[in-house]
Amino acid sequence: MLHIKNLDEGLEVFKALGSELRLNIVKLLLENREMNMNELASALEITNGALTSHIKKLEESGVIKVLSKHDGHGNQKFCRVAVDKILVEIENDGIENESNIYDTEVKIGHYSDYNIYPTCGLATDQALVGEVDDPRYFAHPDRIKARVLWFTKGYIEYIIPNLLPNATRIDQITMSFEISSEAPGVNNDWPSDISFFLNDVKIGTWTSPGDFGDVQGVFTPDWWFPNWNQYGLLKMIVINKKGTFIDGLKISDVDIRQFNLDYKSTIRFKFQVEEDAKNVGGLTIFGSGFGNYNQDIRVRIAYSPM
C-alpha cells in the first residue's frame, strides 16, 4: 500500500498515472506479475528507449519496482507492481497541529509477549533462529534479531515506545506493517482472520487473502527457501476519535478516547489469530530485510497538550 498523506505529496503519483501508456504498463504487470523490459516493450509495441522514461517515472513515484536479475545471459531488468492499494488522505482526521507527531519503529523480534502454535518459526536476515515448528525458540536470545516470524494461531504482542513530551495526550495512533497468512508451504489463496488488540481491547479484524510465494520478495534474502512465504501486503491501521480504520476503511467503532492514553501510558499492540475465527490461516510478519517493503512495524503518534 502506498500512503499519500496529502494532495501535494501525491503529485508525482498522480503525474505517473496520468498517462494511458503508463496505466497500460501497470495493467500488464498486474496480469503477468513480473515482466522484463523487452517483454514490456514488445507488448506495448514501442522501443526499449521509449519505454525507459515511462518506467523511470513509475519507479520514482513508488508504483512499480525494478529489479536486476542474472539469468545466465547477463543481468536483465524486471518490473513488478510495488503496491496493492494507493490511499490518499484529503482531510487530516482532526489532527490540528501536524508538528505534534512522534515517530518510532518496533523491530519484528522485539515482542514483549507471545502464545503461539505450529507451524511457526522466526529468522534473522542471515539464518533461521533454532528449529521451525518449535515454539520454544520464540524465547531464544537471538529472537531480538528476527526479521520475519510466523505462526498458525495464537498471538504476538509488542510494547510501543512512548517517549512523548510531558503533559501530552495521544489523539491518534497510526501503524504500518507487512503481513500475510501462514499456509503449509505457500498458498496465495489462504484466507486468515487476523485480529488487532490495543491494551487488550480488540480494535478490529482484517482478513489476509493469502500466504504469498509466487515470486521472491524484493528484499527477501537469497538463502531463504523458495517454497516458503516470500512477501506480504503493507497494511496501515489508524485509531483516532472517529474509530479504527485499516487502509482508510473503518473496521470498528473503537476510538482512541476510550483508552485515555497520555505521555505516561504503556501502549501494547497485539496481532492475534483467534482459535474460533472463521478463517484460522495463521500470520506472517515481515520486517526489514524481508518481503517487499524493507520496514519494521512503523508507528506514528499524534499528540496534543493535556
Side-chain angles (χ1 to χ4, degrees), residues 16-278:
L17 297 176
S19 157
E20 185 176 356
L21 191 146
R22 288 193 288 273
L23 284 176
N24 286 335
I25 292 172
V26 174
K27 289 176 183 177
L28 282 168
L29 292 176
L30 288 171
E31 290 170 5
N32 297 281
R33 294 199 175 269
E34 187 175 87
M35 298 175 72
N36 65 35
M37 298 288 280
N38 291 332
E39 292 168 336
L40 279 169
S42 177
L44 295 164
E45 298 182 345
I46 62 174
T47 66
N48 278 46
L51 176 65
T52 300
S53 62
H54 293 288
I55 292 296
K56 183 179 180 182
K57 190 170 286 289
L58 286 167
E59 184 182 22
E60 289 175 346
S61 70
V63 174
I64 71 169
K65 278 183 167 52
V66 179
L67 307 103
S68 293
K69 293 186 179 181
H70 186 74
D71 64 353
H73 301 284
N75 288 327
Q76 283 201 57
K77 288 186 176 180
F78 285 80
C79 304
R80 69 171 71 160
V81 175
V83 295
D84 61 317
K85 291 183 180 67
I86 298 176
L87 175 64
V88 182
E89 290 190 32
I90 295 179
E91 58 178 339
N92 67 358
D93 292 318
I95 305 303
E96 296 177 2
N97 189 348
E98 286 293 331
S99 64
N100 289 342
I101 298 293
Y102 166 67
D103 289 304
T104 188
E105 198 163 34
V106 183
K107 299 291 186 182
I108 298 304
H110 289 193
Y111 45 85
S112 56
D113 193 16
Y114 67 93
N115 184 19
I116 54 96
Y117 295 85
T119 56
C120 63
L122 64 169
T124 71
D125 58 347
Q126 302 291 323
L128 292 169
V129 176
E131 300 178 7
V132 297
D133 298 339
D134 188 340
R136 294 179 302 166
Y137 284 100
F138 275 65
H140 192 282
D142 285 345
R143 61 94 169 174
I144 61 170
K145 303 175 186 176
R147 304 292 185 91
V148 63
L149 63 81
W150 64 96
F151 55 87
T152 294
K153 64 180 179 180
Y155 69 83
I156 196 105
E157 185 174 68
Y158 296 86
I159 293 178
I160 297 171
N162 181 0
L163 301 175
L164 298 182
N166 288 342
T168 55
R169 63 169 175 264
I170 294 175
D171 299 318
Q172 178 172 292
I173 299 176
T174 301
M175 301 181 62
S176 69
F177 41 81
E178 186 174 353
I179 193 169
S180 74
S181 309
E182 162 51 28
V186 293
N187 190 334
N188 283 22
D189 183 16
W190 188 265
S192 183
D193 299 332
I194 301 172
S195 295
F196 309 103
F197 292 76
L198 183 66
N199 287 4
D200 296 322
V201 175
K202 186 175 180 178
I203 60 175
T205 300
W206 167 72
T207 301
S208 168
D211 180 13
F212 307 107
D214 51 313
V215 294
Q216 184 178 1
V218 174
F219 299 101
T220 298
D222 291 338
W223 68 265
W224 189 246
F225 309 98
N227 59 335
W228 285 16
N229 14 27
Q230 295 292 321
Y231 65 92
L233 301 176
L234 188 66
K235 311 307 292 182
M236 184 182 72
I237 286 184
V238 176
I239 177 167
N240 57 29
K241 296 175 183 178
K242 298 178 182 179
T244 302
F245 303 80
I246 189 161
D247 296 348
L249 299 176
K250 193 170 189 178
I251 58 172
S252 81
D253 291 322
V254 179
D255 73 72
I256 197 71
R257 292 170 295 189
Q258 71 184 73
F259 295 94
N260 295 315
L261 299 173
D262 61 26
Y263 68 104
K264 296 183 293 184
S265 300
T266 298
I267 306 170
R268 293 178 288 110
F269 188 83
K270 181 189 297 181
F271 299 84
Q272 183 165 351
V273 178
E274 297 175 285
E275 194 167 357
D276 59 353
K278 179 181 178 181

